[in-house]
Amino acid sequence: MIVLTVFCILGVINVTLAGTELLQNHDFENVNVNQYWTCQGGCTLTSSTDHYHGYHSVMVSNRHHHWEGLSQNVQLTGGSVYQFTAYIKLLNMASGNMYEKVQTLLGCDLNNGNKLYLPFETDLFVMENIWTEIGGINKVPIGSHNCHFYIQLSSQSVNYLIDKASLQLVSHDANWKTKAKTRIDKIRKSNITISLSGTHNRNYDIEITQTKHEFGFGTAVGANQIVDPNYSKYTQTIYDNFEWAVLESSLKWSQMERTKGHINHATSRNALQALNNKGIKVRAHNIFWGVEQFVPSWVRSSSDTELPQLMSQRINDVVSLTRNLVEHWDVNNENLHGDWYEQHTGDPNITMKMFRDTHSVDHNVKLFLNDYGIMESGMALPLANQAKLFKASNVPIYGVGIQSHLTNMNFDPNEYMLILDNVASAGLPIWITELTLKTTDENVKARALDDIMTLYFSHPSVEGVLLWGFWENKIYDKTLALFEGDNVTPNAAGRKWQQLFKSRWRTHVTTSVHDDGPFTVRGFKGDYKIKVKHNGHVIKHETFKLNGNGQTLRVDVGPSSPSIVVG
C-alpha cells in the first residue's frame, strides 16, 4: 500500500498537470528510501534494482494488514485537484488468487472530527510480475486536513514494488472550449482542392455537400421497433439523425438464448438487415457479459467443465449471424466490474481467448473492450491497463468503449479531457458507446450535451459517440430523452444534437466561380457529392470521400464534355 500524507483544500478541477512534482524521491533513485519515505504499519522498505523507470524502485514487504505500505508527508498549497500515479509490480499472489484487487484512495481528517475516504481508481485484475499503472484524479471537500493517498490491496500477504510515483496539481484552463474548437478544425477537417478549367469567363456554381460523417454519430435502437410499421416516426427519426446504431438488447446472450438451445436469431437479423438497407452502420453488443447477474441463468447452472464448450458455441453462433452486418463487437462487456467467466474457467486470460476466438470466426469485425465508470467513477487507468495488456499479448483488439452515463451536468471538461488522455495512453481508438445525460431540465441537458460532444469530438482518439437511446418512449429512463411524444419531437437537447450533427459539424458550401484555376474548401471528413451548375442547371455531379489526406478534384466545365475527376 502507498500512503502519501498531504494537506489539502478544495479547489477547481483542471485539464493539464502543473508540472511541479510534489513528492520527494518520487522515482526512488535515491537508494536511501527511508530518507523521505516511511512504511506505515510496521512493514519493511528496501531499495530494489528491479525497476519500471530509471534504475531503482522500492520494495514493500513484511505486510501484516492490507493497508500497510509506503508513506510520505506532502504539503499541498493553493487547494485544487490533484492527480496521483505510480507503477506497481506484485511479487507474489495470495493463495488461490489469479489477480489482486488494487484500489487507490484518499483519506482525510475533517474539521467535524470525522474521517473521509474518497476512492480514486480500482483495478480488479492486477497480475503478478507485470508493471501496472495505478492512481487517479480527485478533489477533496472544504475542511479536509491531514490527508493521505494510499493503495489498498485485497490481500495482506502480497509483497510488491513501487516505481515512478507522482503527485501533481492539475492546472485550470478556462479556455478549454476555444482550444477544443481549434482541435476540431485540425483533426476533423481536411482540404478539398478543386482545379477548375474550361470556364471561359462564364459563371458557374460549385456546390459541395457532405452526405455522411467519418466520425460516428449514433444511438441505441430497439430491434423490434426498427421493423414495426407502427413505429415509423421512431425509425424515420433514426434515419434522419444518426448514421450508426447499436441494438440495445437483442444480441445479448440472455436475450437471444433464454433457454439452452432455443436461440432467437430472427429478431436481431431482421433489425440488422433493416439498418444495413438504410446505410446505418452497426455496433454489436455484446457476446459475453462478465457481471454475474447478466450471465444467462442456465449458463450459471452449468458445470465449469461444460462452460468452455458453451462459450465456443455462443461465439460461433452469434458472430456467424452478424458477419458482414456489423462493424464492431463488444466482446466481454464490463469486464472491469465482473469476472464471472475468469472465476468459472479458472483462466485469468479467458477474455483474451474470447477475442481470439471471435476474430477466428470474423476476421473483419473490430473488437472492443467496453466498460462504465470511466468518466465519473475513476476507472480510466484500469481500462487503459487492460487494453495495454491485450496489445502486448497480441490480442486482436481494435478499440476501447467508454459508456459515459453522466449524472453531473456541471462536469468539468478539463478533468474529463485528462481522463480521456489516460484512456488514450493505451494507443487504441476510443468510442463513446452509451452516452446519456440525466436531468429533467432539457435546457440544462442541451448545454451539457454541447459541452460533452465538443469535448469528445475534439479528442483525437475518439472516433464516435452513440447515445444510449433518444426517445422517451424507447429508453430505460425518460429523464435521459432528447425526443418526446408520439411524434418523436426533439426537445432542447434533441435540437442541440440536430444542430451539431446536421449543421455545425457538417459541410455544405456553394461557391460561384468564373475563372480557371484551383481553389480550396476545408470540410469535415466523410462522404461528399459535388455538383457543377450553370444558369441554375446541374451540368455535372460526382461523389467522393474526404479523409485526412485531403482530396483533389479536377473539374472541366468545357462545353463539349464536362467532367469531374476525383484524385
Short mmCIF file of all heavy atoms in Angstrom, two decimals, residues 387-424:
data_model
loop_
_atom_site.label_atom_id
_atom_site.label_comp_id
_atom_site.label_asym_id
_atom_site.label_seq_id
_atom_site.Cartn_x
_atom_site.Cartn_y
_atom_site.Cartn_z
N ALA A 387 -6.29 -2.70 -21.81
CA ALA A 387 -6.04 -2.58 -23.25
C ALA A 387 -4.56 -2.75 -23.58
O ALA A 387 -4.20 -3.40 -24.57
CB ALA A 387 -6.55 -1.22 -23.74
N LYS A 388 -3.68 -2.16 -22.75
CA LYS A 388 -2.24 -2.31 -22.98
C LYS A 388 -1.81 -3.77 -22.87
O LYS A 388 -0.98 -4.25 -23.66
CB LYS A 388 -1.47 -1.46 -21.98
CG LYS A 388 -1.59 0.04 -22.20
CD LYS A 388 -0.92 0.81 -21.06
CE LYS A 388 -1.10 2.30 -21.22
NZ LYS A 388 -0.53 3.07 -20.08
N LEU A 389 -2.36 -4.48 -21.88
CA LEU A 389 -2.02 -5.89 -21.71
C LEU A 389 -2.47 -6.71 -22.90
O LEU A 389 -1.76 -7.60 -23.38
CB LEU A 389 -2.66 -6.43 -20.42
CG LEU A 389 -2.38 -7.89 -20.07
CD1 LEU A 389 -0.87 -8.13 -19.92
CD2 LEU A 389 -3.12 -8.29 -18.81
N PHE A 390 -3.67 -6.41 -23.44
CA PHE A 390 -4.16 -7.11 -24.62
C PHE A 390 -3.25 -6.85 -25.81
O PHE A 390 -2.92 -7.77 -26.56
CB PHE A 390 -5.59 -6.66 -24.94
CG PHE A 390 -6.65 -7.37 -24.12
CD1 PHE A 390 -6.46 -7.66 -22.78
CD2 PHE A 390 -7.85 -7.74 -24.70
CE1 PHE A 390 -7.42 -8.31 -22.04
CE2 PHE A 390 -8.83 -8.40 -23.97
CZ PHE A 390 -8.62 -8.68 -22.64
N LYS A 391 -2.85 -5.60 -26.00
CA LYS A 391 -1.97 -5.27 -27.12
C LYS A 391 -0.63 -6.01 -26.97
O LYS A 391 -0.12 -6.57 -27.95
CB LYS A 391 -1.72 -3.77 -27.18
CG LYS A 391 -2.88 -2.95 -27.72
CD LYS A 391 -2.53 -1.47 -27.75
CE LYS A 391 -1.39 -1.17 -28.69
NZ LYS A 391 -1.07 0.29 -28.74
N ALA A 392 -0.08 -5.99 -25.76
CA ALA A 392 1.20 -6.65 -25.54
C ALA A 392 1.13 -8.15 -25.75
O ALA A 392 2.14 -8.79 -26.06
CB ALA A 392 1.70 -6.34 -24.13
N SER A 393 -0.07 -8.71 -25.58
CA SER A 393 -0.28 -10.15 -25.76
C SER A 393 -0.75 -10.50 -27.16
O SER A 393 -1.17 -11.64 -27.40
CB SER A 393 -1.31 -10.64 -24.72
OG SER A 393 -0.90 -10.34 -23.41
N ASN A 394 -0.70 -9.53 -28.08
CA ASN A 394 -1.10 -9.72 -29.48
C ASN A 394 -2.55 -10.19 -29.62
O ASN A 394 -2.88 -11.00 -30.49
CB ASN A 394 -0.16 -10.71 -30.17
CG ASN A 394 1.26 -10.17 -30.30
OD1 ASN A 394 1.45 -9.00 -30.63
ND2 ASN A 394 2.24 -11.00 -30.00
N VAL A 395 -3.40 -9.70 -28.74
CA VAL A 395 -4.84 -9.97 -28.84
C VAL A 395 -5.40 -9.08 -29.95
O VAL A 395 -5.04 -7.90 -30.03
CB VAL A 395 -5.53 -9.68 -27.50
CG1 VAL A 395 -7.04 -9.78 -27.62
CG2 VAL A 395 -5.02 -10.64 -26.44
N PRO A 396 -6.30 -9.58 -30.80
CA PRO A 396 -6.84 -8.77 -31.90
C PRO A 396 -7.88 -7.76 -31.42
O PRO A 396 -9.06 -7.83 -31.76
CB PRO A 396 -7.45 -9.82 -32.83
CG PRO A 396 -7.85 -10.94 -31.92
CD PRO A 396 -6.77 -10.98 -30.86
N ILE A 397 -7.45 -6.80 -30.64
CA ILE A 397 -8.33 -5.75 -30.13
C ILE A 397 -8.19 -4.51 -31.01
O ILE A 397 -7.08 -4.13 -31.40
CB ILE A 397 -8.01 -5.41 -28.66
CG1 ILE A 397 -8.96 -4.34 -28.12
CG2 ILE A 397 -6.55 -5.02 -28.48
CD1 ILE A 397 -8.79 -4.06 -26.63
N TYR A 398 -9.32 -3.89 -31.34
CA TYR A 398 -9.29 -2.66 -32.13
C TYR A 398 -9.39 -1.42 -31.26
O TYR A 398 -8.65 -0.46 -31.45
CB TYR A 398 -10.45 -2.65 -33.14
CG TYR A 398 -10.54 -1.33 -33.90
CD1 TYR A 398 -9.72 -1.09 -35.00
CD2 TYR A 398 -11.41 -0.32 -33.50
CE1 TYR A 398 -9.77 0.12 -35.68
CE2 TYR A 398 -11.48 0.89 -34.17
CZ TYR A 398 -10.66 1.11 -35.26
OH TYR A 398 -10.72 2.31 -35.93
N GLY A 399 -10.33 -1.42 -30.30
CA GLY A 399 -10.56 -0.19 -29.55
C GLY A 399 -11.17 -0.43 -28.19
O GLY A 399 -11.44 -1.56 -27.78
N VAL A 400 -11.38 0.69 -27.47
CA VAL A 400 -12.00 0.65 -26.15
C VAL A 400 -13.26 1.49 -26.17
O VAL A 400 -13.31 2.56 -26.78
CB VAL A 400 -11.03 1.14 -25.05
CG1 VAL A 400 -9.90 0.16 -24.88
CG2 VAL A 400 -10.48 2.53 -25.37
N GLY A 401 -14.31 0.99 -25.50
CA GLY A 401 -15.57 1.69 -25.40
C GLY A 401 -15.75 2.28 -24.01
O GLY A 401 -15.53 1.60 -23.01
N ILE A 402 -16.16 3.54 -23.98
CA ILE A 402 -16.46 4.24 -22.73
C ILE A 402 -17.96 4.51 -22.71
O ILE A 402 -18.48 5.20 -23.59
CB ILE A 402 -15.68 5.56 -22.63
CG1 ILE A 402 -14.18 5.31 -22.58
CG2 ILE A 402 -16.14 6.37 -21.42
CD1 ILE A 402 -13.34 6.57 -22.61
N GLN A 403 -18.67 3.98 -21.72
CA GLN A 403 -20.13 4.08 -21.73
C GLN A 403 -20.64 5.50 -21.47
O GLN A 403 -21.59 5.93 -22.10
CB GLN A 403 -20.72 3.09 -20.73
CG GLN A 403 -20.51 1.65 -21.15
CD GLN A 403 -21.18 0.65 -20.24
OE1 GLN A 403 -22.04 1.01 -19.43
NE2 GLN A 403 -20.80 -0.61 -20.36
N SER A 404 -20.09 6.22 -20.53
CA SER A 404 -20.37 7.64 -20.35
C SER A 404 -21.83 7.94 -19.98
O SER A 404 -22.51 8.71 -20.63
CB SER A 404 -20.00 8.40 -21.64
OG SER A 404 -19.88 9.78 -21.41
N HIS A 405 -22.30 7.31 -18.89
CA HIS A 405 -23.62 7.63 -18.33
C HIS A 405 -23.41 8.75 -17.30
O HIS A 405 -23.00 8.49 -16.17
CB HIS A 405 -24.24 6.39 -17.69
CG HIS A 405 -24.54 5.31 -18.67
ND1 HIS A 405 -25.56 5.41 -19.59
CD2 HIS A 405 -23.95 4.11 -18.90
CE1 HIS A 405 -25.60 4.31 -20.33
NE2 HIS A 405 -24.62 3.51 -19.93
N LEU A 406 -23.71 9.98 -17.68
CA LEU A 406 -23.36 11.14 -16.87
C LEU A 406 -24.56 11.61 -16.06
O LEU A 406 -25.67 11.76 -16.59
CB LEU A 406 -22.86 12.27 -17.76
CG LEU A 406 -21.71 11.92 -18.73
CD1 LEU A 406 -21.27 13.16 -19.49
CD2 LEU A 406 -20.54 11.29 -17.99
N THR A 407 -24.32 11.85 -14.78
CA THR A 407 -25.37 12.37 -13.90
C THR A 407 -25.05 13.78 -13.42
O THR A 407 -25.94 14.47 -12.92
CB THR A 407 -25.54 11.45 -12.67
OG1 THR A 407 -24.29 11.34 -11.98
CG2 THR A 407 -26.02 10.07 -13.10
N ASN A 408 -23.82 14.21 -13.56
CA ASN A 408 -23.41 15.56 -13.15
C ASN A 408 -23.39 16.45 -14.38
O ASN A 408 -22.48 16.36 -15.21
CB ASN A 408 -22.05 15.51 -12.48
CG ASN A 408 -21.52 16.88 -12.13
OD1 ASN A 408 -22.27 17.85 -12.09
ND2 ASN A 408 -20.22 16.97 -11.87
N MET A 409 -24.37 17.35 -14.50
CA MET A 409 -24.43 18.22 -15.65
C MET A 409 -23.43 19.38 -15.55
O MET A 409 -23.26 20.14 -16.50
CB MET A 409 -25.84 18.78 -15.82
CG MET A 409 -26.91 17.72 -16.08
SD MET A 409 -26.63 16.68 -17.55
CE MET A 409 -25.92 15.19 -16.79
N ASN A 410 -22.78 19.51 -14.40
CA ASN A 410 -21.76 20.54 -14.22
C ASN A 410 -20.36 19.93 -14.20
O ASN A 410 -19.47 20.42 -13.51
CB ASN A 410 -22.02 21.32 -12.92
CG ASN A 410 -23.30 22.13 -12.99
OD1 ASN A 410 -23.55 22.82 -13.98
ND2 ASN A 410 -24.11 22.06 -11.95
N PHE A 411 -20.19 18.85 -14.93
CA PHE A 411 -18.88 18.21 -15.02
C PHE A 411 -17.86 19.23 -15.54
O PHE A 411 -18.20 20.16 -16.28
CB PHE A 411 -18.93 17.00 -15.95
CG PHE A 411 -19.40 17.31 -17.35
CD1 PHE A 411 -18.52 17.76 -18.31
CD2 PHE A 411 -20.73 17.15 -17.71
CE1 PHE A 411 -18.94 18.06 -19.59
CE2 PHE A 411 -21.16 17.44 -18.99
CZ PHE A 411 -20.27 17.89 -19.92
N ASP A 412 -16.62 19.03 -15.15
CA ASP A 412 -15.55 19.91 -15.60
C ASP A 412 -14.87 19.31 -16.83
O ASP A 412 -14.24 18.25 -16.74
CB ASP A 412 -14.53 20.13 -14.50
CG ASP A 412 -13.57 21.27 -14.84
OD1 ASP A 412 -12.89 21.18 -15.87
OD2 ASP A 412 -13.53 22.24 -14.07
N PRO A 413 -14.99 19.93 -17.98
CA PRO A 413 -14.37 19.38 -19.20
C PRO A 413 -12.86 19.23 -19.10
O PRO A 413 -12.29 18.37 -19.77
CB PRO A 413 -14.75 20.40 -20.28
CG PRO A 413 -15.97 21.09 -19.75
CD PRO A 413 -15.75 21.15 -18.26
N ASN A 414 -12.22 20.07 -18.27
CA ASN A 414 -10.78 19.94 -18.12
C ASN A 414 -10.40 18.60 -17.51
O ASN A 414 -9.49 17.91 -17.97
CB ASN A 414 -10.26 21.08 -17.23
CG ASN A 414 -10.51 22.44 -17.82
OD1 ASN A 414 -9.97 22.77 -18.87
ND2 ASN A 414 -11.33 23.24 -17.16
N GLU A 415 -11.13 18.19 -16.47
CA GLU A 415 -10.88 16.89 -15.84
C GLU A 415 -11.19 15.76 -16.82
O GLU A 415 -10.43 14.79 -16.93
CB GLU A 415 -11.73 16.74 -14.58
CG GLU A 415 -11.52 15.41 -13.88
CD GLU A 415 -12.45 15.22 -12.70
OE1 GLU A 415 -13.33 16.06 -12.49
OE2 GLU A 415 -12.28 14.20 -12.00
N TYR A 416 -12.29 15.90 -17.53
CA TYR A 416 -12.69 14.84 -18.46
C TYR A 416 -11.68 14.67 -19.59
O TYR A 416 -11.44 13.55 -20.06
CB TYR A 416 -14.07 15.13 -19.02
CG TYR A 416 -15.20 14.70 -18.10
CD1 TYR A 416 -15.00 14.47 -16.74
CD2 TYR A 416 -16.49 14.52 -18.60
CE1 TYR A 416 -16.02 14.09 -15.91
CE2 TYR A 416 -17.54 14.12 -17.77
CZ TYR A 416 -17.30 13.91 -16.43
OH TYR A 416 -18.32 13.51 -15.60
N MET A 417 -11.07 15.78 -20.04
CA MET A 417 -10.06 15.65 -21.08
C MET A 417 -8.85 14.87 -20.57
O MET A 417 -8.28 14.04 -21.29
CB MET A 417 -9.63 17.04 -21.57
CG MET A 417 -8.64 17.01 -22.73
SD MET A 417 -9.30 16.20 -24.23
CE MET A 417 -10.47 17.45 -24.78
N LEU A 418 -8.47 15.10 -19.32
CA LEU A 418 -7.35 14.37 -18.74
C LEU A 418 -7.70 12.89 -18.60
O LEU A 418 -6.85 12.01 -18.82
CB LEU A 418 -6.97 14.97 -17.39
CG LEU A 418 -5.72 14.43 -16.70
CD1 LEU A 418 -4.51 14.50 -17.62
CD2 LEU A 418 -5.45 15.20 -15.41
N ILE A 419 -8.94 12.58 -18.23
CA ILE A 419 -9.38 11.19 -18.14
C ILE A 419 -9.29 10.52 -19.51
O ILE A 419 -8.81 9.39 -19.65
CB ILE A 419 -10.81 11.11 -17.58
CG1 ILE A 419 -10.82 11.51 -16.10
CG2 ILE A 419 -11.40 9.71 -17.76
CD1 ILE A 419 -12.20 11.68 -15.51
N LEU A 420 -9.76 11.22 -20.56
CA LEU A 420 -9.65 10.68 -21.91
C LEU A 420 -8.19 10.44 -22.29
O LEU A 420 -7.86 9.42 -22.92
CB LEU A 420 -10.30 11.63 -22.92
CG LEU A 420 -11.82 11.67 -22.96
CD1 LEU A 420 -12.29 12.75 -23.92
CD2 LEU A 420 -12.41 10.32 -23.37
N ASP A 421 -7.32 11.36 -21.92
CA ASP A 421 -5.90 11.18 -22.19
C ASP A 421 -5.36 9.92 -21.51
O ASP A 421 -4.54 9.20 -22.08
CB ASP A 421 -5.10 12.39 -21.73
CG ASP A 421 -5.29 13.60 -22.63
OD1 ASP A 421 -5.78 13.44 -23.76
OD2 ASP A 421 -4.95 14.72 -22.19
N ASN A 422 -5.82 9.67 -20.28
CA ASN A 422 -5.37 8.46 -19.58
C ASN A 422 -5.80 7.20 -20.30
O ASN A 422 -5.04 6.24 -20.43
CB ASN A 422 -5.90 8.47 -18.14
CG ASN A 422 -5.17 9.46 -17.25
OD1 ASN A 422 -4.06 9.90 -17.55
ND2 ASN A 422 -5.79 9.83 -16.14
N VAL A 423 -7.05 7.18 -20.80
CA VAL A 423 -7.52 6.02 -21.56
C VAL A 423 -6.76 5.91 -22.88
O VAL A 423 -6.36 4.83 -23.31
CB VAL A 423 -9.03 6.10 -21.81
CG1 VAL A 423 -9.50 4.93 -22.67
CG2 VAL A 423 -9.80 6.12 -20.48
N ALA A 424 -6.54 7.06 -23.52
CA ALA A 424 -5.87 7.07 -24.82
C ALA A 424 -4.41 6.65 -24.73
O ALA A 424 -3.80 6.34 -25.75
CB ALA A 424 -5.98 8.46 -25.44
#
